[in-house]
Amino acid sequence: MSTVNLHHLRLFRAVARDGTLTGAARALNISQSAVSTQIKALEASLGHDLFERVGRNLVLTEAGRIALDHAEEIFRTSENLLATLKSAGARRQVLRIGALATLSRNFQIGFLNPIIGRADVEVVLRSGVQAELLRALEAMAIDVVLTNLVPARDAASPYLVHKLSEQPVSLIGTPDPELQTRSPRELFQTQALILPTPESALRASFDALLEQSGVVPRIAAEADDMAMLRLLARAKAGLAVIPPIVVRDELETGTLVEYARLEGITENFFAVTLQRRFPNPLVAETLNAFTPGR
């Protein structure tokens, strides 16, 4: 029966962090050939290649990423053991999430709700543009991407797209009793509007609604960030075209009010994953536990 040599794991972790045999050998003050030999021994013991060569660097394979997660856990547990016997057996799992930088924070928290506060789970959050996040997903640096943009797909696409929620969109602003009885069309005609930027799917749907209504809007501001749309609405810049989930807390406290629901316009939220041989079980757990509208 094969066993894992902790010394081999230490060498493996050093190579994974440095990305080269030379750098790892220098840091450990041993020969490069010794590092190479012992990495091969570890791969033989585990039955999987842990690295693939990309140019001059060594990049983790999927099995290598999983091995590194477990190696880090082993050494973290070892450090806990030295610090206190009480916490030595704590087993923690890591879920790495990438989220579109402009995505609703309330939606992100809703996705995380099933695992927030769990003693056995560590959540790593990373935000960025979609292309950057999808590259990180393919490199297995993150486990799932949260977005409101469906990635381009074809027959060779590696992405699995999970639709999590379809949220209504409304006209939302600070309280004004005079506006409560006005129709959406009257609000479009008389009020300054805070809109998503033209490249967004939400803006395209709203522009189509305006064209159908025959209204030329008075635009007070445009933003590609849901958080900024929320802040502009709170600052009384105008009425924001925004999903109520984004301003849920303000609606509950009365800081903002919903003047009209925009029929036929919705904002969709997705989780993007990859088909993996060794999936992170926390991904399936969060996907299955997610409750739309939270």
Side-chain angles (χ1 to χ4, degrees):
M1 180 177 178
S2 297
T3 58
V4 176
N5 184 305
L6 290 181
H7 179 61
H8 291 170
L9 278 182
R10 289 189 185 279
L11 296 180
F12 161 67
R13 183 173 65 165
V15 175
R17 289 177 171 180
D18 187 85
T20 67
L21 291 173
T22 304
R26 186 184 304 115
L28 296 169
N29 196 30
I30 59 177
S31 70
Q32 179 178 326
S33 61
V35 175
S36 178
T37 298
Q38 294 181 64
I39 292 297
K40 289 178 181 177
L42 178 60
E43 290 177 326
S45 176
L46 296 176
H48 294 280
D49 291 336
L50 301 178
F51 296 100
E52 58 184 354
R53 185 168 290 282
V54 178
R56 297 184 176 181
N57 293 326
L58 293 175
V59 178
L60 288 170
T61 62
E62 182 176 350
R65 169 60 62 184
I66 292 169
L68 181 60
D69 285 345
H70 284 278
E72 296 289 7
E73 182 181 335
I74 288 169
F75 294 124
R76 186 162 50 239
T77 301
S78 175
E79 291 164 2
N80 288 343
L81 177 60
L82 295 174
T84 168
L85 291 174
K86 183 178 179 180
S87 61
R91 181 178 182 274
R92 292 173 63 79
Q93 306 172 76
V94 179
L95 179 62
R96 298 176 175 85
I97 298 173
L100 199 64
T102 57
L103 199 65
S104 162
R105 302 303 188 264
N106 282 340
F107 168 72
Q108 293 180 49
I109 290 296
F111 183 80
L112 291 172
N113 259 333
I115 57 174
I116 285 178
R118 277 179 46 177
D120 63 328
V121 174
E122 176 183 346
V123 177
V124 178
L125 291 169
R126 171 180 172 184
S127 64
V129 298
Q130 179 122 323
E132 172 188 289
L133 295 174
L134 291 177
R135 284 195 297 271
L137 180 67
E138 291 189 44
M140 288 171 284
I142 55 179
D143 300 303
V144 59
V145 172
L146 300 180
T147 180
N148 57 0
L149 304 172
V150 178
R153 301 182 69 217
D154 55 31
S157 171
Y159 307 126
L160 300 176
V161 179
H162 314 264
K163 184 176 178 180
L164 297 179
S165 179
E166 184 173 354
Q167 294 291 330
V169 176
S170 300
L171 277 179
I172 290 175
T174 52
D176 185 341
E178 293 185 6
L179 302 182
Q180 294 285 1
T181 59
R182 296 188 185 180
S183 69
R185 192 173 192 279
E186 290 174 321
L187 292 172
F188 297 156
Q189 290 175 317
T190 61
Q191 301 302 305
L193 301 179
I194 306 164
L195 302 178
T197 49
E199 63 272 12
S200 68
L202 177 54
R203 176 63 179 275
S205 298
F206 182 70
D207 285 348
L209 177 63
L210 286 181
E211 184 175 352
Q212 186 178 25
S213 302
V215 174
V216 177
R218 177 160 58 94
I219 300 175
E222 297 179 338
D224 64 357
D225 186 344
M226 289 288 181
M228 182 55 69
L229 291 174
R230 166 177 163 269
L231 291 175
L232 287 166
R234 290 183 55 171
K236 302 182 179 181
L239 299 186
V241 174
I242 194 169
I245 189 176
V246 177
V247 291
R248 179 187 58 204
D249 297 341
E250 287 83 355
L251 292 175
E252 289 177 354
T253 61
T255 304
L256 295 174
V257 295
E258 182 180 12
Y259 286 107
R261 182 68 54 88
L262 302 181
E263 297 300 326
I265 300 180
T266 58
E267 178 81 334
N268 294 312
F269 296 93
F270 306 93
V272 183
T273 61
L274 290 180
Q275 183 71 47
R276 288 174 56 167
R277 184 178 177 187
F278 305 104
N280 186 333
L282 288 173
V283 173
E285 190 172 334
T286 51
L287 289 175
N288 293 335
F290 179 78
T291 302
R294 289 182 69 174

